[in-house]
Structures are given as structure tokens and as C-alpha cells.
Amino acid sequence: MRGALRHPSLVLGLTASGLFAVLALVSLVWTPYAIADIDIGRRFLGPSLNHWFGTDNLGRDMVSLIMSGTLTSFVVAALAVGIGAGVGVPLGLAAAAWGGVVEWAVLRLSDFVFAFPAIIVAILITTLFGPSAINAILAIGIFNIPVFARVARGGALSIKTLDFVAAARLAGLGNWAIAFRHLLPNIASLIIVQGTIQLSLGILAEAGLSYIGLGTQPPATSLGLLLRDAQSLFLLHPSLSLVPGLAIVIIVVALNLAGDGLRDAIDPRLKQQGGTGVAS
Amino acid sequence: MGKTIRVAGLAMALVLGLAGVVYAAPSEIRIGVALEPPVLDPTAGAAEAIDIVVYQNVFEGLTQIDQNGAVQPDLAESWTISADGLTYTFKLQADVTFHDGTSFDADDVKYSFDRIKAPDSLNAHKEFFADIESVTVVDPLTVEIKLAKPSGQFLFDIGRGDAVIVAPESSANNATDPIGTGPFSFVRWDKGSRVVLERYEPYWGKKAALSKATYVFISDTAAMTNALLAGDIDGTNNFSAEALDVFKADPRFKILVGTTEGETLLSTNNKKPPFDNLKVRQAMAHAIDRKALIDGVTYGYGVPIGSHFAPHHPYYVDLTNTYPYDPELSKALLAEAGYPDGFSATLKLPPVAYARIGGQIIASQFAAIGIKLELINVEWAQWLEDVYANHDFDLTIVSHVEPFDIGNYANPNYYFGYDNPDFQALIETLNGTTDEVKRKVLAIEAQTILAQDAVNGYLFELPQIGVWNAKIEGQWQNAPIEGVVLKDVHWVD
């Protein structure tokens, strides 16, 4: 853990993501102004003590909107990662543990899902059920499944050949028991790293879907929806686009730094390589 | 020496000639419009987008509505009305041809009206023409139309896009290949992108100044702004007010703010509880702060309305103070109606800025009196099916852009679900009255009933904000009828 703290990008990434996560959580109980609180009289105010980032076209406080929007973005991305990991990891483990037909089926399914970008899946779901944040979660979640399936299978295959797995099999454990008692704990770090990176991709995807009107719907807000609302006003009030845009950039960069740092810090294979790298 | 001068003179002439080419006023125009029409036949669809492209450009009716909303002769050069108000005799223009070269005569008029009234007619407004009893061809240039009962609105109704004259030879293909008698003929429609029209040289009337007109479909305000700034389009008939400041100080552009026939309503399902309760509707009316709504949605350009009537119409009466903004009174009325804690309802919003932004503002204003609105964004097709056809809605925001459409309230099966026999009788009388003074009295009475019954939330009259190249003139500032009429549009130096 000492090594982890010395890793500057990990510290930076974790701190910044943590800060945004805290801001987002705080918005559950408190924002400076209510985001449904529309007051046309105070719209397009510049930054001031009362409104740090000014107000938008409906007179809503930008700080409150960013806090609430960050929460939506995090929740959508986190649930999507949850779906992806929840379905993808067991699939990947099953592929590694059973091999043969199961492996073939999982890999072909992954290829199939990979062929549809999240946006196409989202459009499909939207035509079926109408636009909402749920769609964004489902679409991004489905897109995440093959990512986790491949990572889990790759990690598990390299563990599977080790002696202790053979020992477990000799002791009479079945495929499921081996997968969950021996493979899963050893690839957990891989999953966590991949989860962090998918979280940042999820936030980007949510912003994209909301921006084209398929994701979060008013009066709820998200970072992508804030961009959409500000789009036609960009020439007149650029700050309305810049503030949510920069928030997305910072969150995504922070999560990627954190993901990279985590990989360096907790992935045992990389740690060995890192060690030799330092020694040479 | 002489030669030098001659060469210089030649060079000068050449330069002047070139300059002449460069500075000659252009004769083509590209107009940005927000919505692409579903078809191009104005007699086969309700969409305003159809009329914007073809009304009075490609197609013409017996009469036409001018930019002041008055009825003018068009394909009918003159007409007489019998003393009982039932028989109209139209004298038609001679030497009129359709764009495919076929000639126009009384048979085409009869065919057009028979087509509207046919059982399989696709016309969006058959009710306007329901009272036509017969259309008789007297001679090739005279048509007699008999009505079942007198109508003060008839000459206006036959000037609408719904009643343009089409030819039996081409009418079947008008949806994609419109053939009319207007000053512009259809060239091509690049779906999803543009419709191109060109001047019809053998046109019977005054020839248009423009040789070519292209309607470019740009639904996104930011894209429209950039297209205008870059000169990709020469103007738009209706620009979103939020970004208007970009053009205000720019001498290359001029802004024309005019009125429309678009009464923007918080349409209410009067058949569905709790909206069948007058007190609830009154409470909602008192909860709407029109000033904030107009500032928020139209940046102050909309005109507040208190009933379903256009403020620029001579019959208009200002009823905006029937239920003034008063949230406390709203709460009291809700409590009287049996909803002391308010209630929850849905608000369906079609994909237009006035609805989507207006919906958020209304939701915020209603939240203040305890009515919790769930905003549901829908696309137009879904709106037409759910709200307009199946009446599956609580509240919706939509602009009714047809002129003089107060008669819709007399139809109990219209999507408002407003069923008031007194009002229906009143509209019946109004439609049968031709005397202007009496009509005005009746129209004012009709407006007052609607305002007092708070049938819908009456919000504001949609403005038309044209942004045009400063060198273009002749475009309509107001929109008394759906359309972007090009015949007088021209470039000036």
C-alpha cells in the first residue's frame, strides 16, 4: 500500500474522482439551490458569490446542476458497470473453467454484442421503451458485458494452469467451485481495474446518449443533458457548455488515472514487471 | 496612343463587365426550415411543414390568404354569392397551366373538391368542406359551389392549403412529386436534406423574382445558427428566440418579428379526472405565470393569450385577466375541489423547444401549488397517436397553428374532450352567420366561454421570428396562415 500512495497518478486520480463522487452524493441531500427551482428572472447570471458558476437558461444554479448531473452520470455508469461485471465475469469464468463449447459460445456472444456500439443498443431500446436514464444504463451495461467476459476469461486462463488449481481439481472440486473459490479471487484485481476504466467510459457514454436525447430526461439532469441544453446558446453563453464539458473531462481523466494507478498498484503480474523495471 | 486607349477601354469594359456579374443581385434563395414535411401534398396531411414548402408556391387555391390574413382572388378571378348565401359562382382565371403542361379548368376544381369529400380522402380537414353540397361545372371557366348552410368562413377555408386545386392527371403522385399551378414548380426532394423549387416560366400571373428556391431542413438551432453565419442559407422563417442575440447587432442580417396563428396551449384532457372538475382547471389557470413562461420560452417575444384566439385578429378580445396568476387562490381552489395536497399528473411534450422548455417551467410553477407533473418527452408520431388520436394523456403542450380554429372546441371528440352543448350551438350559429358585426359578437362570446371554462391552459401566441439576409425583401413578417410564400421575395442591392 505504501507503493500505491507513492504512485502520483493514482493519488491524483483517486482524489479527484473521490471529490466528484462526494459532491455527487452530497447532492442527494443538499444542493445550493433546488434543481427543479426555475426562476426566469435570474437566468444567465455570471459567476458570483451566490452562484459560483452562474445560472443557466432557466435560472437554475450551475453548481447545483453540476452536482446533481454528476450524480446521475456516476449512478448510470456504476450500474452499467454492475450489469457488465455481474453478467460478464461469470460468463468469462465459465468460459475459462469449462472450455470447449461453453468457451466458444461465450466468445461468439461477446463478438456479437461487441459488433453493436452502445449507441446503437440505446437507439434500439429507446424505440422499444422510450427515452430514459434506465435505457442508458441498460445500453451501456449490455455493452460492458463482453468487456468483462473477455477480461475474466483471459485472467482466469492464466491462473487455471497453475498447480494449486490442479490440486483443487484433484481434491474433487467441480468447475463452479474452482471458478469461484480459486479463479475469481485471483482475478479480482483485474476486474476492479477494468471496472474503474469502464466507469469512465460509462460516464462518457451516458453524456453522449443524453446529449443526443436518448438518455436522462428533464427535469432530472446529467452532465450530457447540460451540454445538450447549452448547445444552441454556445455563441452567447459559452460558460454553460464549458462548465459541464470540463466536469466530464476532469472526471474521465481522473478515473483513467485511478484505473492506471490501480493496475500498477494491485495487479500482481504488473507489480513483478514493475519491480524488475526498477531494478534494471 | 489610340491603341493604348482602346486597350485600356477594353480592359475597363472587361472589369466593369465582371463587376457587373459579381454585383448583380442573386436570384436564388436557400431557406432554412426546422421541420421536414412528411409528404408534399398539402391536401393529404396536417403537418405545417407541408404548407411551408408548397402553399402558394407550388399549389394555389381558388382564393388565397394574403399576409394580412385577408382573402384575395387566386385561381378564381372573381365570384358572386347568391342572396341566400348558399350558392357561390366562381369565374376562373384563363390560360392557367399545371406544371406538367396540362391545362387548368373548371373540371379540375370539381375534381379537387370531390377528392376532398371522397370517402377515401386523406384530407386533414374534411370538416371545413363538409357543408359543400355540390360542385357544378357551368362552363370551362365557371364553377358553381352550393353549400348546405351559409358560412362566413367559406371563402377563407377554400384559400387554405387543404383546398388547393390539383389535376386528376397528377394528383395521385402529389405526395412525392407535387404538380400544381403556382409560380414555382417542384424540381426534387432530397429526403432528409432539402426540397428544390424553380420558377415556372409559363406561370399565368406575375412571375416570381427568384429563379430558384431551396428549402433546407435544419432542426437543430446551433446548426441553423452556424448555417446562417456561414451563408449556407439566406434566411429562415422561424428562428429559435434563445440564440437570436447572435444576429441582433450583425448588419448582415435583419430580424423580422411577426405574429402567427399558433395559440400555444397547455392542452388538458377535460374528460379525465381530476381535469373534468372546473375548479381544478381554474386552479391550474391561476397557477400559470404567463410572464415567466413567455420570457423563459420565447425570450419575451410571445404575446399572452387568455383564450383560443390570435391577438392580431379583429375579433380578438383580451381575456388574459380571467384567471390572473395567483398561487394562493390556486391552492384554495384545489382544496375546494378535494385536492388539498394537490395531485400527480403526466405532461407529454412533443419535440419542440416551446413544449420541452415550457414543460419544465410549467412543472416548476405547478409544483408550487402541489401539482406534481411527470414530464414525458415524445416524438411527433407518438404524440399524434397517443395524445391526438387516442386521447391517452393528462396534459400536453402544443401550439395550434391553424387560423380561426376555435371551432375545434365544438367537436366533443377532439382530443381536449370538451363537450359543451351551449358552445357547440354557438359555433354552429357563428359558422352560419355572414354579417361581420354579428360574427364578431359571437366570436367574442365563444372566446369568453372557453376562457371561463378554463378548457385548456392558455399560454401565449407563438411568435414568428424570421432571420434573413439583410438584402432580401418581400418575405412575410406575419404568418396569418401556414406557409412561407415566395412570390414577392427578391434580392435588393
Side-chain angles (χ1 to χ4, degrees):
Chain A
M1 212 50 210
R2 231 159 31 93
L5 286 179
R6 252 182 300 164
H7 204 296
S9 68
L10 176 59
V11 176
L12 195 66
L14 277 184
T15 317
S17 333
L19 205 67
F20 271 99
V22 168
L23 270 181
L25 288 174
V26 168
S27 79
L28 276 177
V29 286
W30 177 82
T31 50
Y33 297 81
I35 65 151
D37 190 6
I38 290 172
D39 183 352
I40 301 301
R42 60 167 199 231
R43 69 173 158 195
F44 300 136
L45 294 181
S48 67
L49 275 182
N50 286 336
H51 303 280
W52 290 1
F53 292 142
T55 55
D56 79 343
N57 60 327
L58 297 173
R60 298 176 297 179
D61 178 51
M62 282 306 281
V63 174
S64 311
L65 286 172
I66 293 288
M67 285 171 69
S68 182
T70 306
L71 178 70
T72 316
S73 298
F74 264 114
V75 167
V76 167
L79 288 177
V81 167
I83 293 177
V87 180
V89 170
L91 280 178
L93 284 177
W98 269 273
V101 181
V102 178
E103 185 166 31
W104 181 87
V106 168
L107 290 179
R108 294 299 80 78
L109 188 72
S110 295
D111 291 343
F112 180 74
V113 176
F114 252 140
F116 297 93
I119 212 113
I120 304 285
V121 179
I123 291 171
L124 184 75
I125 297 177
T126 305
T127 39
L128 292 176
F129 305 109
S132 74
I134 312 278
N135 293 346
I137 294 172
L138 282 178
I140 305 167
I142 290 172
F143 180 73
N144 276 339
I145 291 174
V147 176
F148 282 100
R150 288 184 176 186
V151 167
R153 173 178 164 269
L157 280 181
S158 68
I159 308 284
K160 198 185 164 192
T161 55
L162 297 180
D163 292 342
F164 74 94
V165 178
R169 195 176 293 284
L170 283 175
L173 289 187
N175 280 338
W176 273 124
I178 289 178
F180 282 91
R181 278 170 60 183
H182 293 293
L183 299 184
L184 184 60
N186 282 294
I187 59 163
S189 58
L190 279 181
I191 304 297
I192 291 172
V193 169
Q194 194 62 45
T196 319
I197 304 221
Q198 291 307 118
L199 197 61
S200 77
L201 289 178
I203 280 171
L204 266 187
E206 192 282 334
L209 290 177
S210 294
Y211 178 72
I212 58 170
L214 299 178
T216 314
Q217 297 294 309
T221 191
S222 80
L223 296 175
L225 195 60
L226 284 175
L227 277 181
R228 174 185 172 85
D229 287 348
Q231 162 173 264
S232 55
L233 296 162
F234 180 72
L235 290 173
L236 297 168
H237 305 283
S239 71
L240 295 183
S241 311
L242 288 177
V243 172
L246 284 175
I248 294 174
V249 170
I250 295 173
I251 294 174
V252 169
V253 170
L255 282 171
N256 274 303
L257 285 179
D260 272 358
L262 277 178
R263 174 159 48 207
D264 292 356
I266 64 180
D267 187 330
R269 290 174 304 167
L270 282 173
K271 205 186 261 169
Q272 282 162 8
Q273 286 166 11
T276 52
V278 169
S280 62
Chain B
M1 187 67 195
K3 198 173 176 185
T4 321
I5 290 174
R6 208 163 51 207
V7 172
L10 257 175
M12 186 87 95
L14 198 67
V15 168
L16 283 178
L18 283 175
V21 170
V22 172
Y23 290 114
S27 66
E28 301 186 358
I29 196 171
R30 292 152 304 170
I31 300 172
V33 293
L35 291 175
E36 178 164 18
V39 293
L40 290 174
D41 182 353
T43 66
E48 182 193 12
I50 305 171
D51 289 313
I52 286 195
V53 177
V54 301
Y55 178 67
Q56 291 193 31
N57 296 332
V58 176
F59 290 105
E60 297 175 306
L62 288 180
T63 62
Q64 60 180 315
I65 312 304
D66 69 11
Q67 55 179 315
N68 302 314
V71 176
Q72 302 290 347
D74 200 352
L75 287 175
E77 135 197 303
S78 63
W79 53 84
T80 53
I81 308 173
S82 65
D84 60 4
L86 292 177
T87 307
Y88 287 71
T89 310
F90 294 94
K91 189 95 196 100
L92 304 181
Q93 287 284 358
D95 301 325
V96 177
T97 54
F98 284 93
H99 299 149
D100 60 357
T102 57
S103 64
F104 158 85
D105 58 29
D107 287 324
D108 296 308
V109 176
K110 180 172 170 50
Y111 171 77
S112 297
F113 283 101
D114 287 350
R115 181 166 167 265
I116 293 173
K117 292 177 69 63
D120 60 347
S121 159
L122 295 172
N123 202 287
H125 288 289
K126 287 186 249 189
E127 72 276 11
F128 292 146
F129 313 103
D131 288 338
I132 297 180
E133 213 164 57
S134 67
V135 181
T136 317
V137 176
V138 177
D139 65 53
L141 291 179
T142 313
V143 171
E144 187 183 273
I145 298 184
K146 271 198 165 46
L147 300 184
K149 50 182 187 260
S151 164
Q153 198 61 26
F154 180 66
L155 287 172
F156 189 98
D157 285 342
I158 59 171
R160 293 178 192 258
D162 303 288
V164 295
I165 303 304
V166 297
E169 295 89 344
S170 53
S171 67
N173 298 326
N174 277 350
T176 53
D177 185 15
I179 305 257
T181 58
F184 290 90
S185 60
F186 169 79
V187 179
R188 70 170 192 277
W189 179 8
D190 301 334
K191 288 245 167 85
S193 168
R194 64 192 65 213
V195 166
V196 182
L197 309 179
E198 70 179 4
R199 182 167 55 207
Y200 179 56
E201 298 300 341
Y203 181 57
W204 59 271
K206 182 170 153 273
K207 284 203 174 44
L210 298 170
S211 63
K212 184 176 165 194
T214 307
Y215 285 84
V216 186
F217 308 117
I218 306 175
S219 58
D220 177 64
T221 304
M224 186 84 93
T225 309
N226 290 335
L228 281 163
L229 286 174
D232 293 339
I233 52 175
D234 302 310
T236 175
N237 67 317
N238 209 351
F239 189 72
S240 169
E242 56 186 358
L244 195 60
D245 282 351
V246 174
F247 301 101
K248 267 199 180 142
D250 194 329
R252 290 177 296 161
F253 299 97
K254 65 174 170 188
I255 295 170
L256 295 179
V257 178
T259 57
T260 68
E261 291 290 333
E263 292 86 26
T264 309
L265 311 179
L266 175 67
S267 295
T268 308
N269 193 343
N270 280 253
K271 282 215 173 92
K272 189 171 174 184
F275 308 106
D276 54 349
N277 186 330
L278 175 61
K279 285 216 163 63
V280 170
R281 298 201 303 268
Q282 287 171 332
M284 297 198 305
H286 279 300
I288 296 171
D289 179 358
R290 286 197 190 88
K291 167 96 177 55
L293 194 65
I294 290 170
D295 284 349
V297 177
T298 70
Y299 288 67
Y301 288 107
V303 181
I305 53 171
S307 184
H308 194 105
F309 224 75
H312 54 81
H313 197 282
Y315 300 168
Y316 175 76
V317 55
D318 184 356
L319 294 162
T320 49
N321 269 325
T322 312
Y323 299 115
Y325 176 56
D326 187 346
E328 289 311 311
L329 188 53
S330 282
K331 282 186 202 159
L333 282 164
L334 273 185
E336 275 181 52
Y339 299 95
D341 303 321
F343 55 86
S344 297
T346 59
L347 175 57
K348 291 198 170 164
L349 302 171
V352 277
Y354 66 75
R356 294 278 165 94
I357 296 176
Q360 284 176 268
I361 298 173
I362 293 269
S364 162
Q365 291 176 357
F366 277 18
I369 62 158
I371 301 178
K372 288 169 281 300
L373 294 183
E374 184 198 344
L375 306 183
I376 302 176
N377 292 346
V378 293
E379 294 304 313
W380 273 122
Q382 198 191 346
W383 187 89
L384 285 170
E385 187 179 325
D386 288 3
V387 179
Y388 192 76
N390 296 334
H391 309 187
D392 173 20
F393 74 110
D394 293 338
L395 299 166
T396 182
I397 294 180
V398 71
S399 215
H400 284 240
V401 293
E402 281 149 356
F404 209 87
D405 50 1
I406 197 170
N408 283 337
Y409 289 79
N411 175 1
N413 297 321
Y414 202 61
Y415 79 105
F416 308 143
Y418 177 63
D419 192 355
N420 179 345
D422 292 343
F423 187 84
Q424 287 153 23
L426 182 66
I427 290 294
E428 182 90 29
T429 323
L430 173 62
N431 286 343
T433 309
T434 46
D435 181 77
E436 277 297 308
V437 180
K438 282 187 200 143
R439 275 176 69 79
K440 181 169 179 175
V441 172
L442 292 167
I444 287 176
E445 194 186 331
Q447 295 172 55
T448 313
I449 293 178
L450 295 183
Q452 285 173 349
D453 274 353
V455 181
N456 295 313
Y458 297 103
L459 308 178
F460 55 86
E461 196 74 12
L462 211 60
Q464 167 164 286
I465 305 171
V467 175
W468 300 90
N469 186 309
K471 290 182 179 160
I472 297 173
E473 289 196 345
Q475 63 278 60
W476 287 13
Q477 179 156 3
N478 298 321
I481 191 156
E482 311 99 297
V484 174
V485 177
L486 295 173
K487 55 185 157 196
D488 294 325
V489 175
H490 59 275
W491 290 84
V492 291
D493 284 328

